[in-house]
Amino acid sequence: MEENHVILNERCATDLVTHDFYYDLPEELIAQTPLSRRDGSRLMVLDRKTGEITHRHFYDICEYLRPEDVLVVNSSRVIPARLIGLSQNGSPIELLLLRMQENGRWECLVRPGKRAREGASFLFGGILHAEITEILPDGNRLVSFSYPAAYTSVYEVLDLVGNMPLPPYITEKLEDKERYQTVYAKERGSAAAPTAGLHFTTELLEKVRASGTAYAELTLHVGLGTFRPVKAKKIQDHLMHTEHFHIEQKTADLINERRKSGGRVVAVGTTACRVLESVADENGIVHPMSGETGIFIYPGYRFRAVDALITNFHLPESTLIMLVSALAGRDYILRAYREAVRERYRFFSFGDAMLIV
């Protein structure tokens, strides 16, 4: 049945338009806050071989992992990238940090843009100074930051004065910043969380390892392009955003070893999936690498490295729902999403999970 899915996807890929990935979602199903228990979320399991849809809870995930498998996560850590402060004349200003450049400057979104002319300066939390050093062609700004010598890094200051850059569909205040971080988050750099991993607890990961399933980490710093809508009518015309990633030699070796011995590569989230597919060769061998990826995965794509995927429920007409449709088939995914709506699943970043096997 998997081969039929691939053939169907390839035949239809050039005919697909963005609206083919639309579904109706009642606004009240958009999760505004995380559950009190990370792994207490619901889990919808899609079996590509049978076409079945099963309803479980995330704490049941080990029942679907095999001892020979490898679970691959994105260990990037979200920075408190949303800054609210004042201009020199006391007017309010908001900065959203997107990524750090090699020279230490940051690419930022600024609102309102009219106050962010080259040379303009702002103050955040009374300690973080920002100066606009360049206006980029797309309207974003390059910003240089300075702060008192008592602080060791800009990240230390951001932890004090910054706010979590929650997606625009979340309107309620997040009481605990750590709930927008995975329990294995390490290297700072993301402007949004790799949300599929939010369901894991330390105890659940220990249970995964104890079962024999290997655990591997890679890093992709998630950008706000994740939430950028697809405006092109034909999906092939969409320009995908790029994000920085790296995968170490030991991680690549572990993944290749498990796959060679018959295990599956189970990606946690679309970000881990995109890295794995960016660094795999035609034979499915994963290579250590560091760089930028703008890979755009939609129906018709042949997966080289990823065999199964843990993911959340994604926005209609987004590149993320296109990616999961490439893996499971568009009709199957849309049927599952309609069932999730009927069953009152919770959607998006703080919502429930899906496992595609």
Side-chain angles (χ1 to χ4, degrees):
M1 184 171 178
E2 286 185 76
E3 288 186 2
N4 290 337
H5 268 311
V6 172
I7 292 169
L8 177 64
N9 285 341
E10 286 191 336
R11 188 181 74 242
C12 298
T14 56
D15 300 326
L16 290 172
V17 296
T18 299
H19 193 67
D20 288 325
F21 298 89
Y22 178 81
Y23 66 93
D24 286 315
L25 178 67
E27 189 175 344
E28 66 267 19
L29 295 185
I30 301 173
Q32 292 295 315
T33 56
L35 295 178
S36 58
R37 177 178 174 178
R38 282 181 183 260
D39 62 357
S41 57
R42 298 170 75 183
L43 176 68
M44 177 183 280
V45 182
L46 273 59
D47 188 325
R48 290 181 289 160
K49 290 183 179 178
T50 65
E52 290 182 307
I53 296 174
T54 308
H55 304 283
R56 302 295 298 272
H57 285 88
F58 200 82
Y59 48 70
D60 300 318
I61 194 72
C62 290
E63 296 181 27
Y64 296 92
L65 300 176
R66 304 168 187 166
E68 63 270 23
D69 291 343
V70 55
L71 188 75
V72 185
V73 307
N74 177 11
S75 61
S76 179
R77 186 170 181 82
V78 186
I79 59 174
R82 185 167 175 253
L83 296 170
I84 299 173
L86 299 172
S87 65
Q88 287 176 313
N89 63 7
S91 300
I93 194 79
E94 180 178 342
L95 258 64
L96 197 56
L97 280 61
L98 301 179
R99 65 171 75 189
M100 182 190 280
Q101 307 294 320
E102 291 182 358
N103 56 13
R105 295 187 297 175
W106 285 79
E107 182 180 351
C108 301
L109 289 172
V110 185
R111 292 186 297 192
K114 62 182 180 181
R115 295 191 185 128
R117 298 184 180 89
E118 198 167 311
S121 61
F122 312 103
L123 182 64
F124 303 94
I127 56 174
L128 184 62
H129 293 264
E131 181 181 344
I132 307 296
T133 60
E134 187 178 339
I135 300 176
L136 300 176
D138 61 2
N140 291 348
R141 270 59 168 179
L142 287 184
V143 177
S144 177
F145 288 106
S146 60
Y147 45 86
Y151 299 99
T152 57
S153 72
V154 69
Y155 294 113
E156 184 180 354
V157 182
L158 289 174
D159 285 339
L160 293 174
V161 304
N163 300 286
M164 277 299 178
L166 296 179
Y169 48 75
I170 294 178
T171 57
E172 293 192 23
K173 184 180 179 182
L174 179 64
E175 298 297 333
D176 179 5
K177 286 183 180 181
E178 284 303 305
R179 289 309 307 271
Y180 197 55
Q181 304 280 12
T182 60
V183 296
Y184 45 76
K186 293 184 177 70
E187 184 181 325
R188 295 169 167 134
S190 280
T195 54
L198 295 179
H199 305 283
F200 281 101
T201 64
T202 302
E203 294 75 20
L204 185 56
L205 286 172
E206 289 174 356
K207 187 177 178 182
V208 168
R209 291 190 184 96
S211 72
T213 300
Y215 170 84
E217 295 180 352
L218 50 75
T219 301
L220 179 140
H221 293 316
V222 188
L224 291 181
T226 296
F227 306 114
R228 193 175 73 185
V230 178
K231 295 181 179 179
K233 182 178 179 180
K234 292 186 176 180
I235 59 176
Q236 306 100 303
D237 295 336
H238 175 67
L239 181 62
M240 193 68 175
H241 61 285
T242 62
E243 294 163 316
H244 183 75
F245 75 91
H246 59 85
I247 177 170
E248 305 295 335
Q249 181 74 58
K250 63 178 181 179
T251 299
D253 290 344
L254 176 59
I255 293 169
N256 293 331
E257 177 187 312
R258 285 293 174 124
R259 203 155 197 238
K260 186 177 180 181
S261 61
R264 298 173 304 173
V265 177
V266 183
V268 178
T270 56
T271 59
C273 175
R274 291 178 68 232
V275 172
L276 291 168
E277 292 300 315
S278 296
V279 302
D281 62 25
E282 292 297 327
N283 299 313
I285 304 299
V286 170
H287 299 273
M289 202 176 297
S290 178
E292 302 282 321
T293 180
I295 189 171
F296 183 16
I297 298 174
Y298 54 84
Y301 178 85
R302 286 186 177 273
F303 286 82
R304 297 181 290 189
V306 173
D307 302 299
L309 177 67
I310 297 170
T311 187
N312 278 18
F313 290 87
H314 305 295
L315 276 74
E317 301 183 341
S318 64
T319 59
L320 303 181
I321 196 172
M322 293 172 188
L323 185 153
V324 296
S325 295
L327 183 63
R330 185 183 69 94
D331 292 344
Y332 192 13
I333 286 292
L334 291 180
R335 175 162 64 92
Y337 272 57
R338 288 192 295 269
E339 184 160 334
V341 170
R342 286 195 301 271
E343 295 293 328
R344 309 296 289 177
Y345 272 64
R346 302 169 78 244
F347 279 69
F348 306 160
S349 295
F350 287 139
D352 294 317
M354 174 184 284
L355 170 64
I356 303 171
V357 295

